[in-house]
Amino acid sequence: MKVLLINGSPRQKGCTFTGLSIIKDQLAQNGIDSEIYQVGNKPVAGCIACLGCRKTGKCVFNDDLVNTVAEAMKEADGIILGSAVHFASATGAATSFFDRLFYSIDKTALKLKFGACIVSCRRGGATATFDQLNKYFTICQMPVVSSSYWNQIHGYTPEDVYKDEEGVRTLKVLANNMAYLIKCKYAANIPLPDEPERVMTNFIR
Ligand SMILES: Cc1cc2nc3c(=O)[nH]c(=O)nc-3n(C[C@H](O)[C@H](O)[C@H](O)COP(=O)(O)O)c2cc1C
């Protein structure tokens, strides 16, 4: 049982990383393995809508971890996205990375796997970013795991994050809930449901 965490902040060991690390530790206490990936602190290309991934199942850009993370996601039972809040949204790097990741990946690999996101801000824009990131899951048939509050932590430095005791508790509850649901899924061992044939209508006449 494994959870994959992706840090969408360019700050490698900043507040988002600290929040994801708190979750990682709590998952370990529940007997769940996890790994944190990092979008990196170099510019991340956005999706250029070339549709190359439709032919190969991979993003055409190979100079970052999108394709590596996509392969790892196929083996994971849960996915947790993290981002710092930049101008009341996910960071540019996170948006570019997650757009390409969720567009290029084979969606059947994600069906009914659990998803959650966490956001880190100094002061405001947390829930807008939370809403933004949850949409990656809800377009991929991934149930969103919730906690006792919206998954936000506040601060500018990792030390600040630990002072946000309610935020830390929220992340721990989230980790416990994700671990519980993953265990339920394994215990139930029910085949995935069928779905109607795919249709795509573009609202044009
Ligand atoms: C370009 C930029 C924009 C930011 N915009 C916001 C914002 O809209 N609201 C906010 O509360 N904090 C904002 N911040 C602060 C960070 O979101 C906050 O300190 C966060 O916890 C940093 O997480 P990190 O260390 O993982 O990058 C911004 C920081 C940067 C660099």
Side-chain angles (χ1 to χ4, degrees), residues 1-6 27 32-37 68-81 101-102 105-116 137 142-143 178 182 185-186 192:
M1 286 180 266
K2 185 159 182 182
V3 172
L4 194 143
L5 306 103
I6 311 171
L27 286 169
I32 307 277
D33 288 336
S34 63
E35 193 166 356
I36 302 179
Y37 287 86
T68 306
V69 170
E71 282 309 305
M73 263 163 82
K74 292 177 186 169
E75 308 303 319
D77 302 293
I79 315 292
I80 299 182
L81 307 179
L101 178 63
F102 282 87
I105 195 170
D106 172 10
K107 308 286 180 299
T108 56
L110 301 180
K111 181 169 171 158
L112 293 171
K113 286 183 174 174
F114 299 107
F137 306 123
M142 297 178 68
M178 181 166 278
I182 290 171
K185 193 172 163 193
Y186 273 88
L192 294 177

Side-chain angles (χ1 to χ4, degrees), residues 7-18 83-89 91 119-126 129 153-158 160-161:
N7 179 9
S9 168
R11 290 169 76 188
Q12 315 234 8
K13 295 278 158 81
C15 303
T16 313
F17 175 81
T18 305
S83 181
V85 173
H86 284 184
F87 294 95
S89 305
T91 68
V119 300
S120 170
C121 74
R122 194 184 67 77
R123 199 159 175 83
T129 309
I153 38 169
H154 289 263
Y156 195 68
T157 65
D160 293 337
V161 171

